[in-house]
Amino acid sequence: MALFTDDAPPSGEHPHRPGRSGRAGWIVLGVALTIGLILGVTPSPYVIEKPGPVYNTIGAANHNGTETPLITIPGETVYPTKGSLDLLTVSLVGNPDNRPSWLKVAAAWLDPSQAVIPIDAAFPPSVTTRQRDEENQAMMVDSQQDAIAAALTNLGYDYPTVVSVVSLPKDSPAQGIMKAGDQVVSVNGAAVADIAALRKALKANGTETPASIGIVRDGKNLTVQVAPVKSSTAGAVVVGINVTTSYDFPFDVKIQLDQVGGPSAGMMFALGIIDKLTPGAIQGGADVAGTGTIDQAGTVGPIGGIRQKLEGASAAGVDWFLAPADNCNEVTGHIPDGLKVFAVKTLDDSLAVLDAIRTDGDLAKLPTCPAG
């Protein structure tokens, strides 16, 4: 049966033969498909940051096929926990050997939960992917030790601390005077208990006169003279040594988290340790997420990927978020609906937020990162 419509072609035209406009449309479509295909396979000079997995520091995660607590404290009294103290991660899509296509990059540009960054910013040309992964893993191990130190310090435990030199840059003012393996014990006669104390002592010394630095080298106590210089980092005073801190804790605290690197989980690990060593849930059983580096003194430092972590917390259904105060400029204007972001500078600030949540206290009195 033939079907007819009011817009049938006039007599003499051929209804099934495309005219010029039809051929032009097919050409445009073909060009678009070709461009799309090229963009879909052509590597870009970018990588993509997106929200990664969320882990509950007072919960468990998969380790070698078994659900294993992230924090265990064998031999010590630990208390039941409720709710969650979540750490957030950022997943990186792409690396120098497998760069994302332009099509993936274009899609990420349109997604507010993702960020597109130059590949050299994530993978400096002089650093291999393996080296970067190893460095991130080392930072995670160091941050876990600092988290344990911060938690135990907050709870009133005493323990020895050792500040050791790990390396010296080529242009270091301490070159030929200090060396890797030296333990730094004092500056101008004042004991150095941690890296923060070392920085404070060097700042007090200034750059006008050499600093007398007490060290232990091969078991011998020595005093060396080094002339400090101004660093390009916020005007800090330094002697050109890369140092690390090691602790002799009064008991073992084990942290187990696979496939996650970097230092940004430090604060949340410290809160998880305090929760396990303290009767009752420190956040009243609520679900709280957060991020931030931590040092032995409990100072919370800024981190990268804060916007992706906000989106990860929102997707996990969390209502409260603890953010380093120094990250507020990146947070404001990018807070997902329903998420309340508190600005914290110290571990005590974070505990104050959790206490207010637990007791239904006045949260309006606590510092926040403005929504917009």
Side-chain angles (χ1 to χ4, degrees):
M1 176 183 296
L3 296 178
F4 300 93
T5 65
D6 290 340
D7 57 350
S11 176
E13 287 190 1
H14 299 280
H16 300 297
R17 182 183 300 169
R20 291 182 179 178
S21 61
R23 287 195 298 271
W26 283 108
I27 292 172
V28 170
L29 179 60
V31 170
L33 290 173
T34 301
I35 292 173
L37 181 62
I38 293 172
L39 292 178
V41 299
T42 302
S44 71
Y46 298 99
V47 290
I48 301 167
E49 290 180 333
K50 60 190 296 187
V54 177
Y55 298 97
N56 179 11
T57 60
I58 53 175
N62 186 282
H63 174 61
N64 295 332
T66 303
E67 285 293 298
T68 303
L70 269 68
I71 300 171
T72 55
I73 311 174
E76 291 297 307
T77 300
V78 295
Y79 298 91
T81 60
K82 292 192 303 180
S84 65
L85 293 169
D86 292 333
L87 68 87
L88 293 312
T89 66
V90 176
S91 294
L92 198 62
V93 179
N95 58 54
D97 301 320
N98 185 22
R99 295 177 292 165
S101 69
W102 280 103
L103 204 58
K104 288 184 177 180
V105 166
W109 262 320
L110 298 174
D111 187 342
S113 72
Q114 300 185 39
V116 177
I117 61 175
I119 196 165
D120 287 351
F123 298 90
S126 59
V127 179
T128 66
T129 301
R130 180 176 178 178
Q131 288 172 330
R132 179 184 181 277
D133 291 343
E134 289 175 349
E135 181 180 349
N136 278 335
Q137 193 57 45
M139 285 193 291
M140 168 60 85
V141 172
D142 288 344
S143 76
Q144 291 174 357
Q145 293 300 297
D146 290 339
I148 298 169
L152 297 191
T153 297
N154 185 274
L155 293 172
Y157 290 93
D158 291 321
Y159 51 88
T161 303
V162 176
V163 178
S164 302
V165 179
V166 291
S167 64
L168 290 82
K170 289 183 179 180
D171 58 351
S172 166
Q175 194 68 245
I177 303 172
M178 302 179 70
K179 65 180 185 179
D182 288 347
Q183 294 179 13
V184 181
V185 296
S186 67
V187 174
N188 296 331
V192 169
D194 52 36
I195 295 175
L198 174 61
R199 290 171 179 161
K200 184 177 180 181
L202 291 174
K203 184 176 181 180
N205 182 91
T207 59
E208 298 298 322
T209 58
S212 296
I213 302 178
I215 63 173
V216 176
R217 178 182 296 168
D218 300 326
K220 297 179 180 180
N221 291 302
L222 303 171
T223 299
V224 296
Q225 303 292 319
V226 183
V229 296
K230 277 282 183 73
S231 167
S232 58
T233 307
V237 176
V238 301
V239 290
I241 54 176
N242 297 319
V243 296
T244 187
T245 304
S246 58
Y247 310 101
D248 186 8
F249 298 126
F251 49 82
D252 287 338
V253 178
K254 297 181 179 179
I255 298 177
Q256 180 65 61
L257 181 59
D258 298 341
Q259 305 300 318
V260 176
S264 64
M267 180 185 69
M268 296 310 295
F269 276 131
L271 292 173
I273 294 165
I274 291 172
D275 195 17
K276 291 209 165 194
L277 291 172
T278 304
I282 60 174
Q283 86 294 25
D287 295 325
V288 180
T291 186
T293 64
I294 198 81
D295 65 16
Q296 183 184 16
T299 303
V300 175
I303 52 83
I306 186 72
R307 295 178 187 175
Q308 286 69 52
K309 291 175 182 179
L310 291 168
E311 294 290 343
S314 178
V318 173
D319 294 325
W320 320 103
F321 192 99
L322 307 174
D326 287 342
N327 280 121
C328 274
N329 61 328
E330 299 174 77
V331 170
T332 298
H334 301 278
I335 300 176
D337 290 341
L339 193 64
K340 182 77 169 180
V341 181
F342 296 93
V344 298
K345 295 181 179 180
T346 66
L347 187 57
D348 283 338
D349 289 346
S350 299
L351 289 167
V353 174
L354 299 185
D355 185 64
I357 293 172
R358 178 179 61 84
T359 61
D360 278 336
D362 190 354
L363 292 169
K365 293 182 177 180
L366 299 172
T368 61
C369 292

